[in-house]
Amino acid sequence: MSGISSSVEQMTQGHRRNVQQLAVFYTSHNNIYAINIAKVKAFVIKDEVTINDTPSDSKIIAGIATIRGEPVTLVNLDAWLGQQKMEMDQYKLIIYCEFNHKKVGFLIKDMLDIVEKTTDELRHTEETNSKITYTTYVKVHDKNELCTVFNAEQLLKDIGWTDDGEAAVNKYVDSPLISEKLVLAAEDSGVAREVLSKFFKKAKINFEIYNNGALLLQRVKEINPDKIGLIITDIEMPEADGFQVATFIKENNTYNHIPVIVNSSMTTDAVKNKMHAIGVDGFIGKTDVQALYEATKRFLLK
């Protein structure tokens, strides 16, 4: 366990080999789920932290845990997934994460493994179940078992940490960003695509949004690079992720003049440092419409 914990910050090199690293774990009844390791700050033994109950109308919120001296909202994944919750003492671990600079911990039954999967091995399923991003198969006792990568964007919306962006767009987009150049965006989350679309339309931006990085890169190769004013990319996507998008643009002399902004809920220092090392021009937390407006204005109208 300590080996896994100490390796979390270093396990974000997979984009160089076109793989995602997944932390695979058990929920109740030994259902197998996973989360991208780049979203994880630490794996914490539940009994080693203080957990306080907090008044909440939500069955999803299990309390507030104190981790590394900070209050962390504790989420019961079983409750959110519609599974029967276990007794509190049956949960062994907390997956401690950071999304949009907010700290959250997921109660899990136990850790199973950390695996690498190529983007081809991840089947995108959000359109059939909004709580699921991908499904794949993992080895458990020499047998292939179905593993589900849950949709953190949908979870954050369900607990009230994000919304459809309407109010923020109306508040912060105070003038149009008129440009002849095209803004290309890659985003696989339906929740986030909705916010981006509202933002672009309100700002009167000429834009195209693609469901993954591969489709965006295909479009980049089809048009005159001087016509592209800005690329906005998520990180965790099928076929080609944000690391691959940024690397392709910034390591190619034909395209490296195009500004690249990362728009992601994966806001840990390890992820941001890796993106800055690739050479991206900006990194903003997903659904931070004010920061998105300011960054787009700076690069599109320069």
Side-chain angles (χ1 to χ4, degrees):
M1 187 69 210
S2 60
I4 292 174
S5 299
S6 62
S7 300
V8 169
E9 293 292 319
Q10 287 75 42
M11 297 186 70
T12 55
Q13 301 289 340
H15 70 286
R16 291 289 181 182
R17 290 172 287 113
N18 194 31
V19 299
Q20 289 191 23
Q21 290 148 327
L22 303 177
V24 183
F25 56 89
Y26 288 118
T27 59
S28 64
H29 308 291
N30 290 334
N31 294 310
I32 300 173
Y33 281 81
I35 186 171
N36 191 317
I37 197 72
K39 294 181 176 179
V40 179
K41 292 178 69 70
F43 297 92
V44 180
I45 297 173
K46 188 208 69 182
D47 290 343
E48 294 183 356
V49 301
T50 301
I51 299 174
N52 296 314
D53 292 332
T54 182
S56 174
D57 295 331
S58 172
K59 296 179 181 179
I60 301 171
I61 305 300
I64 302 294
T66 301
I67 299 176
R68 298 179 177 177
E70 295 185 299
V72 176
T73 300
L74 206 56
V75 170
N76 189 304
L77 274 180
D78 287 326
W80 179 67
L81 291 166
Q83 301 172 0
Q84 184 176 355
K85 294 194 294 185
M86 302 187 300
E87 295 297 325
M88 196 64 170
D89 60 6
Q90 293 180 279
Y91 294 102
K92 294 183 179 180
L93 297 174
I94 298 170
I95 301 180
Y96 174 36
C97 302
E98 180 180 313
F99 297 98
N100 297 335
H101 308 291
K102 295 181 179 179
K103 310 297 192 302
V104 62
F106 301 113
L107 280 173
I108 65 169
K109 182 178 181 180
D110 207 354
M111 188 72 184
L112 179 59
D113 201 358
I114 291 178
V115 301
E116 289 188 344
K117 292 292 178 180
T118 66
T119 49
D120 291 338
E121 293 176 295
L122 299 171
R123 181 184 176 191
H124 193 260
T125 55
E126 183 187 14
E127 293 181 2
T128 57
N129 185 340
S130 64
K131 294 185 178 182
I132 298 173
T133 302
Y134 312 117
T135 56
T136 188
Y137 284 90
V138 296
K139 284 281 187 183
V140 181
H141 305 305
D142 296 321
K143 182 181 177 182
N144 282 327
E145 299 284 358
L146 183 67
C147 173
T148 301
V149 182
F150 72 93
N151 187 346
E153 313 293 346
Q154 185 64 49
L155 188 152
L156 296 178
K157 184 176 181 180
D158 290 346
I159 64 175
W161 282 13
T162 62
D163 55 26
D164 63 5
E166 185 83 36
V169 166
N170 289 332
K171 179 178 180 180
Y172 294 115
V173 181
D174 54 10
S175 62
L177 304 178
I178 304 299
S179 171
E180 294 181 355
K181 292 193 174 183
L182 178 66
V183 174
L184 299 178
E187 175 58 68
D188 71 324
S189 165
V191 173
R193 280 199 305 272
E194 181 181 3
V195 176
L196 280 175
S197 181
K198 289 178 179 179
F199 166 74
F200 290 139
K201 290 176 181 177
K202 178 74 173 179
K204 301 188 184 304
I205 291 170
N206 182 22
F207 73 96
E208 296 174 7
I209 302 179
Y210 294 93
N211 290 8
N212 61 62
L215 292 174
L216 181 143
L217 290 178
Q218 179 180 322
R219 180 59 172 148
V220 166
K221 297 171 187 176
E222 291 173 350
I223 57 180
N224 183 340
D226 292 331
K227 299 295 186 182
I228 304 172
L230 179 64
I231 289 174
I232 299 174
T233 182
D234 185 21
I235 293 179
E236 187 181 27
M237 297 180 291
E239 298 191 43
D241 62 21
F243 290 116
Q244 293 166 278
V245 169
T247 299
F248 177 85
I249 298 299
K250 292 304 179 182
E251 293 187 356
N252 191 313
N253 290 335
T254 302
Y255 304 110
N256 60 13
H257 66 282
I258 302 172
V260 176
I261 295 175
V262 178
N263 180 45
S264 176
S265 60
M266 295 164 61
T267 52
T268 62
D269 288 341
V271 172
K272 288 191 287 187
N273 289 342
K274 183 157 297 300
M275 275 300 190
H276 289 311
I278 291 171
V280 301
D281 300 272
F283 195 115
I284 59 179
K286 193 175 292 189
T287 72
D288 187 345
V289 173
Q290 182 178 17
L292 180 62
Y293 178 73
E294 293 301 326
T296 303
K297 182 179 181 179
R298 181 166 70 252
F299 293 113
L300 189 61
L301 303 184
K302 65 180 181 178

